[in-house]
Amino acid sequence: TNAIAVYPNPAKDRLQIDLQNSGIKTDSGYILDALGRKVIRFPLLPQNNTIDVSGLNNGWYHLVIGTQPMQLIINNCNKISS
């Protein structure tokens, strides 16, 4: 199976991505904002990855790894969205 573990969701400042046993064959992923713009591109290791999302404003995002898009919520209580 292509099981990817992404947690926590909603995320505050760090996002964990576990690709162990996922069968995903890609070396990078990215996060898109609501307008479809790439706001973060990151390298992927075969197993556990930690992504810093502290620079993102609160809101809905799409996490894309290989051909698998997933919804992601950023809820950073220390930020005020304008």
Side-chain angles (χ1 to χ4, degrees):
T1 68
N2 285 350
I4 300 171
V6 178
Y7 55 93
N9 191 6
K12 182 176 178 182
D13 55 0
R14 301 229 181 270
L15 183 67
Q16 295 293 126
I17 302 172
D18 183 359
L19 298 176
Q20 190 171 2
N21 301 320
S22 70
I24 297 295
K25 298 193 184 322
T26 186
D27 61 356
S28 65
Y30 53 92
I31 297 175
L32 302 173
D33 67 10
L35 299 176
R37 297 176 295 200
K38 284 185 188 176
V39 292
I40 296 179
R41 186 175 189 280
F42 50 86
L44 284 171
L45 301 173
Q47 295 184 359
N48 296 323
N49 298 269
T50 301
I51 311 304
D52 180 2
V53 295
S54 64
L56 297 178
N57 289 322
N58 295 343
W60 291 86
Y61 294 84
H62 289 280
L63 171 67
V64 181
I65 297 174
T67 59
Q68 298 190 14
M70 294 165 249
Q71 287 190 344
L72 173 65
I73 302 169
I74 302 299
N75 186 10
N76 187 338
C77 297
N78 297 325
K79 288 192 172 196
I80 299 173
S81 297
S82 50

